[in-house]
Amino acid sequence: MDFSNVFSSVISVINTIEIGDIIDVGIMTFVIYQVLMLAKKSKIAQLLKGVAVLGVVYVFAVNFGLKTVVFILNNLFQFGFIAVIVVFQPEIRRFLEQMGRANIFSLAAFQKKTPEEVEIEELRRTISSICDSAKSMSETRTGALIVMERFSNLGEIKRGGTAVNADITPELIGTIFYEGSPLHDGAMVVENNRIAAAGCVLPLSDNFEISKDMGTRHRAALGLSETCDAVIVVVSEETGIISVAKNSVLVRNLNRQSLFNLLSKEFVDPIVNASEKAHTKSVKEKKNEKV
């Protein structure tokens, strides 16, 4: 093989590339990447699968002369585009908002996050929603009991309540503990950053040293913390005081920031510390290999 000819061919191809071509490819790569990320997080993923199936059927119909199928699919594709815009308007708007916030000139937009980083983001989002809800319910004197599951299995507690299996939002938490809700008297259980169940009954503490100004919610929170490693957030209906029960101890008089700090210390910090230790260990091993 004459490498000089190959090299000359490569150079000639490179010379034909213009700056506009590079910009064109870069913009399309960024847009396609953002579309795929949006599809991964929304219902659009199912739509794309359906379009892919219809595309395969269309190619098959064209090759085998299925005129009726081709006619129907041609019309479907023409009007389907408008239907997609109408049905998925919220997702499309969210995509355009993300495009507006993204830094096109930063390579960070294309960097894949580690599982630890994704988990930390989800935990912080969950904790923020719980803290926002606790603050709001504290101001309106709305009683609440939120159980954040850790390693102990709370299957019996969840089975005793009503299955919810929903994303955590301040609005949904407020609805669950609204006085008119049939689930407001029980506990809400958070598992894997989702509301697993609500209206759950917790075991009451037998500790007679508990202050008499604490009601059933506080006794229930302490009772569960005495039997497992869960962290329980309590909002008093009488006083609006925010408390946290963990390891048989009740921490009282928390505000939104102190509650956020406490929950972050319990759930986020262990993951961050473990990740830092793993990174440090990996760096040391690489250094030892070089030596």
Side-chain angles (χ1 to χ4, degrees):
M1 178 182 289
D2 190 349
F3 289 100
S4 60
N5 291 335
V6 174
F7 182 75
S8 299
S9 300
V10 172
I11 293 299
S12 62
V13 171
I14 293 175
N15 289 334
T16 60
I17 299 176
E18 299 180 356
I19 296 179
D21 297 329
I22 298 175
I23 297 175
D24 191 21
V25 171
I27 291 175
M28 291 307 303
T29 301
F30 178 77
V31 171
I32 292 172
Y33 174 82
Q34 293 294 334
V35 170
L36 292 176
M37 288 298 101
L38 176 64
K40 185 178 179 181
K41 301 176 183 177
S42 67
K43 297 177 291 184
I44 294 181
Q46 302 300 323
L47 173 67
L48 294 179
K49 291 178 183 178
V51 171
V53 172
L54 289 178
V56 172
V57 173
Y58 182 79
V59 172
F60 179 84
V62 170
N63 290 333
F64 287 88
L66 307 179
K67 296 181 180 178
T68 303
V69 176
V70 172
F71 173 78
I72 293 174
L73 290 180
N74 278 332
N75 286 277
L76 179 63
F77 289 145
Q78 289 177 6
F79 296 102
F81 180 74
I82 299 175
V84 166
I85 294 178
V86 174
V87 173
F88 290 95
Q89 183 266 339
E91 282 79 6
I92 294 173
R93 183 182 62 187
R94 192 179 307 118
F95 165 69
L96 294 176
E97 290 175 352
Q98 291 176 357
M99 289 280 290
R101 291 194 299 266
N103 185 356
I104 300 177
F105 303 101
S106 174
L107 293 177
F110 298 94
Q111 291 177 353
K112 187 176 181 180
K113 295 178 181 178
T114 64
E116 290 79 11
E117 290 174 335
V118 173
E119 184 178 5
I120 289 172
E121 279 189 3
E122 291 179 351
L123 274 171
R124 284 177 174 157
R125 194 178 303 117
T126 296
I127 292 172
S128 292
S129 294
I130 291 174
C131 292
D132 290 342
S133 301
K135 179 178 181 293
S136 177
M137 291 186 291
S138 172
E139 293 172 349
T140 58
R141 302 288 176 90
T142 302
L145 194 56
I146 303 173
V147 179
M148 299 183 69
E149 188 178 76
R150 300 185 77 179
F151 301 107
S152 299
N153 190 342
L154 301 179
E156 289 296 325
I157 299 292
K158 288 178 284 189
R159 280 191 288 271
T162 301
V164 178
N165 190 26
D167 292 333
I168 297 177
T169 63
E171 293 78 13
L172 181 54
I173 296 176
T175 301
I176 289 174
F177 290 110
Y178 176 68
E179 189 174 355
S181 167
L183 303 176
H184 80 281
D185 275 334
M188 185 188 86
V189 179
V190 175
E191 176 189 11
N192 295 327
N193 298 308
R194 291 179 65 81
I195 301 176
C200 301
V201 179
L202 305 185
L204 299 181
S205 175
D206 294 327
N207 187 349
F208 295 104
E209 297 180 359
I210 298 177
S211 175
K212 293 182 179 180
D213 65 340
M214 297 186 194
T216 305
R217 286 190 179 88
H218 294 86
R219 289 185 175 275
L222 275 174
L224 184 63
S225 72
E226 291 168 357
T227 60
C228 69
D229 62 353
V231 176
I232 305 97
V233 178
V234 187
V235 179
S236 172
E237 185 175 354
E238 290 76 21
T239 64
I241 292 176
I242 301 173
S243 307
V244 167
K246 63 184 184 72
N247 301 326
S248 305
V249 176
L250 190 68
V251 182
R252 305 195 68 194
N253 296 309
L254 299 171
N255 56 29
R256 190 210 178 278
Q257 188 59 51
S258 58
L259 176 62
F260 182 87
N261 294 340
L262 191 154
L263 296 180
S264 296
K265 182 179 179 181
E266 292 293 326
F267 291 93
V268 177
D269 288 1
I271 300 174
V272 174
N273 294 336
S275 178
E276 290 177 350
K277 287 181 180 179
H279 178 69
T280 303
K281 183 179 179 181
S282 176
V283 172
K284 289 182 178 178
E285 289 177 351
K286 289 180 179 179
K287 288 183 178 179
N288 292 334
E289 289 176 359
K290 291 180 180 180
V291 174

